[in-house]
Amino acid sequence: MLTIAIANQKGGVGKTTTAINMATAMAATGWRTLLIDLDPQGNASTGLGVGADARDISSYDLLVDEVPLVDSIVPTSIPGLDIVPATVDLSGAEVELVSVEERTARLRTALSNHGGHEVCFIDCPPSLGLLTLNALCAADTLMVPLQCEFFALEGLSQLLKTVEQVQQRFNPTLDIIGVVLTMYDRRNRLTDQVSEDVRDCLGGLVFETVIPRNVRLSEAPSHGLPALVYDHSCAGSRAYIALARELIGRFPPERKAA
């Protein structure tokens, strides 16, 4: 199973929207896909129509109580896409895990028996705490959504330093599969300037596909659906489909065939 953490310590950059729609796109193209909601807000779970009554076992139980992964998985309405949902209990996990041995490896241990999924996305919280650290230690690679705004590069530099520390101390094989520019507004000069700055700084690490500002992307979660299902023809959905193709193109050769 190829495990991809979707992380950025800055909130409101499109992490959860990216996680939901990338997971949906991968499932739609034949990959057996797992999404782990590691954000106490549980927005990825809500956005896939997994209500509170279906979250008896959650990512909190997976991390803190070491409940087996197979018992934590909830099927979604999207064929081929399963989720480990999150509840607000997860907000206490960082405190509860502080004194636990191998606290940064809990998720990696849990994912070692993945039950046949081919690709896994981890939706991280907007912080660089113990939950995100668990995701980075468990992941093969990292995908970074980056909002097209003035402070984008400043936040990215902090994340890159954290990735370097994780590589040195916990997960030497972790790499970054790409940075995706989100909330792209072609009418805004600042958007173009930020895009140019990011591409000048990171070069080919930045995906060619950009995710536009799109009202349908914002509406879809309130219906418990990914945008790709809510309105597959909107600009946001088309962008995520293109991004999924580009992402697969960056997979290691042995992982490109589902």
Side-chain angles (χ1 to χ4, degrees), residues 7-13 15 124-129 132 144-145 151-160 162:
N8 188 329
Q9 79 277 12
K10 193 173 184 305
V13 300
K15 285 189 301 294
C124 298
S127 71
L128 293 177
T132 299
V144 184
F151 293 113
L153 281 175
E154 184 177 285
L156 180 62
S157 64
Q158 185 180 353
L159 178 62
L160 295 179
T162 300

Side-chain angles (χ1 to χ4, degrees), residues 225-253:
L225 293 170
L228 270 70
V229 175
Y230 179 65
D231 184 351
H232 71 276
S233 63
C234 73
S237 293
R238 294 198 305 270
Y240 275 116
I241 291 168
L243 182 61
R245 291 196 201 100
E246 196 174 348
L247 177 69
I248 293 171
R250 297 190 181 196
F251 283 179

Side-chain angles (χ1 to χ4, degrees), residues 23 26-28 30-34 76-82 117:
M26 294 298 294
W31 295 71
R32 190 175 176 202
T33 306
L34 177 65
T76 73
S77 60
I78 312 300
L81 175 56
D82 298 323
H117 291 93

